[in-house]
Amino acid sequence: MLGIIQFISIACGIILSFFPDEYDRAVHNWLESADSASAADKTRWPTDISRDIVAIGCHSHNDYWRRVPLYSALQAGCIGVEADVWLFDDELYVGHTKSSLTERLTLKSMYIDPLVNILERQNPTTKFHPGGNSPAHGVFDTDPAQTLILLIDFKTTGPTTWDAVMKHLAPLRDRGYLTHFNGDKVIHGPITIVGTGNTPFNLVTANTTYRDIFFDAPLDKLVDVDQPDNSPRPEEVLTLRTDLGQGQSGMPDIITASTFNTSNSFYASVSFKSTIGHPWPFHFTKTQMDRIRSQVRVAHQHGLKVRYWALPSWPRSLRNHVWRVLAQEGVDILNVDDLVSAAKGDWNTKVFDWWP
């Protein structure tokens, strides 16, 4: 009987997945904003594209898979989106695997150009506001200072992909929209670019006077800044391989308490499944809780935002429990697939939480 119930639940979940959720249906407001003709609507203000949307600490995992990439996440209030990029013939294509790539789905078409359009709309120059906004406003009208984190997952070899990403960021960089390190301090902008996957740490840190791509540091390898640090400085010795994955490519052989900081990194991330493990049955052990608290504490010592990926997604009751515990323990951003549930923030167990 239980097997039959689970089969019906899974079947219903699959059927429901073919229908757009409330955020997919609401994104027309964002899409219309890209049409200059919408400016003729006398009932709207020029910066009301994101009116009434409250920014929340969620990251739209594999955002490019959504029916309306980027816009659905923004409609939900997510402050982070993710794009997996593959370099072919000087173009950056977006997709989960090589077999899923298509010529029309590129970093430029899916993220760079839409973000430029949105930010131009959010920062108009008019006779009433001739000087524009300084600093520039972000994508959320209710919180103009909130940056949007674009996590770019380098799928192809680090150094060559790096050069292409730097080139593709020019439209945002030239308009002053990127968070950057100026050699002395971090200047926050409407968009913060974080490199993960095969992003090479040695290239992130190569320029000591200007950086606008920040590293996704390995959360499980951060060194407690309160511990004595007598190890030799590793800057001259680098791991030359550039296809090792998140937090590993182009790394120094020895990681010290000074390796990762806000001048070169933004996130501190790790797989929840591999570093924390499965909380079963719906219960974190003392060891698991101690590890979460230790990792959150150390990351915050470095000034970095904590993000766990590979979170359990089913059953919903377990997923909600994990979300609730991580938020309570100070995890800065939740890696989510279900935008509706994440945005509502109501993570108590319900009757249908066993649905997929």
Side-chain angles (χ1 to χ4, degrees):
M1 179 61 70
L2 179 59
I4 294 175
I5 294 174
Q6 288 179 333
F7 174 79
I8 294 173
S9 296
I10 293 172
C12 291
I14 292 173
I15 293 172
L16 289 172
S17 69
F18 287 97
F19 294 91
D21 63 30
E22 60 190 78
Y23 297 119
D24 293 332
R25 292 192 296 269
V27 297
H28 68 276
N29 182 45
W30 295 88
L31 296 175
E32 288 175 356
S33 72
D35 182 2
S36 59
S38 65
D41 188 347
K42 302 297 192 297
T43 67
R44 300 183 65 170
W45 285 267
T47 62
D48 70 350
I49 182 175
S50 56
R51 66 184 186 278
D52 300 330
I53 295 175
V54 177
I56 58 175
C58 70
H59 168 80
S60 179
H61 176 234
N62 290 339
D63 179 79
Y64 49 87
W65 272 351
R66 303 196 183 281
R67 289 182 180 83
V68 190
L70 177 63
Y71 297 101
S72 291
L74 294 180
Q75 185 67 31
C78 282
I79 62 172
V81 295
E82 175 181 346
D84 294 358
V85 300
W86 305 75
L87 177 65
F88 290 98
D89 300 325
D90 296 324
E91 185 61 85
L92 291 170
Y93 298 95
V94 175
H96 197 63
T97 61
K98 288 183 181 179
S99 60
S100 68
L101 303 181
T102 176
E103 291 189 357
R104 66 183 181 84
L105 299 179
T106 66
L107 183 67
K108 181 177 186 295
S109 67
M110 296 181 72
Y111 293 96
I112 302 300
D113 287 349
L115 286 173
V116 168
N117 290 335
I118 291 170
L119 291 173
E120 293 291 274
R121 169 78 177 266
Q122 292 294 91
N123 295 277
T125 299
T126 68
K127 70 175 184 179
F128 306 105
H129 192 50
N133 297 317
S134 182
H137 287 178
V139 299
F140 297 109
D141 200 40
T142 56
D143 189 1
Q146 175 62 57
T147 193
L148 177 72
I149 303 127
L150 174 57
L151 182 71
I152 301 180
D153 190 335
F154 289 39
K155 291 299 186 181
T156 40
T157 304
T160 53
T161 307
W162 171 271
D163 292 337
V165 171
M166 289 292 289
K167 177 181 177 181
H168 278 68
L169 293 177
L172 292 167
R173 181 184 301 115
D174 294 345
R175 291 169 171 80
Y177 290 150
L178 293 181
T179 296
H180 60 278
F181 174 67
N182 65 5
D184 178 46
K185 61 181 179 179
V186 175
I187 307 299
H188 297 281
I191 307 295
T192 298
I193 305 296
V194 180
T196 190
N198 291 330
T199 300
F201 183 67
N202 57 318
L203 294 185
V204 171
T205 58
N207 189 333
T208 59
T209 60
Y210 181 86
R211 300 169 186 153
D212 56 27
I213 299 180
F214 296 85
F215 198 60
D216 186 18
L219 177 58
D220 56 333
K221 296 181 180 178
L222 294 186
V223 178
D224 195 326
V225 298
D226 292 332
Q227 294 179 354
D229 182 12
N230 299 318
S231 57
R233 291 295 175 242
E235 283 74 13
E236 298 81 11
V237 184
L238 298 175
T239 300
L240 297 181
R241 288 187 61 189
T242 57
D243 57 352
L244 298 175
Q246 185 262 328
Q248 300 183 72
S249 298
M251 290 294 297
D253 283 345
I254 302 174
I255 296 176
T256 71
S258 61
T259 301
F260 304 109
N261 54 68
T262 55
S263 77
N264 59 47
S265 302
F266 186 86
Y267 280 145
S269 305
V270 73
S271 166
F272 180 88
K273 182 178 180 180
S274 65
T275 193
I276 303 300
H278 198 77
W280 191 259
F282 294 9
H283 175 72
F284 286 94
T285 66
K286 183 180 185 302
T287 299
Q288 289 174 322
M289 290 302 301
D290 287 345
R291 186 175 297 121
I292 292 171
R293 289 165 179 166
S294 174
Q295 290 180 340
V296 169
R297 177 182 58 81
V298 173
H300 288 171
Q301 284 179 338
H302 290 261
L304 307 182
K305 306 293 185 184
V306 180
R307 181 181 71 96
Y308 288 102
W309 45 276
L311 298 175
S313 59
W314 187 86
R316 290 183 181 179
S317 52
L318 172 61
R319 179 206 65 188
N320 289 353
H321 177 62
V322 171
W323 284 358
R324 187 163 56 246
V325 170
L326 294 183
Q328 290 172 350
E329 294 301 326
V331 171
D332 300 279
I333 192 161
L334 295 176
N335 223 59
V336 304
D337 294 295
D338 185 348
L339 296 179
V340 176
S341 296
K344 288 179 178 177
D346 181 12
W347 302 330
N348 294 317
T349 303
K350 297 180 177 62
V351 173
F352 295 106
D353 280 346
W354 283 89
W355 286 37

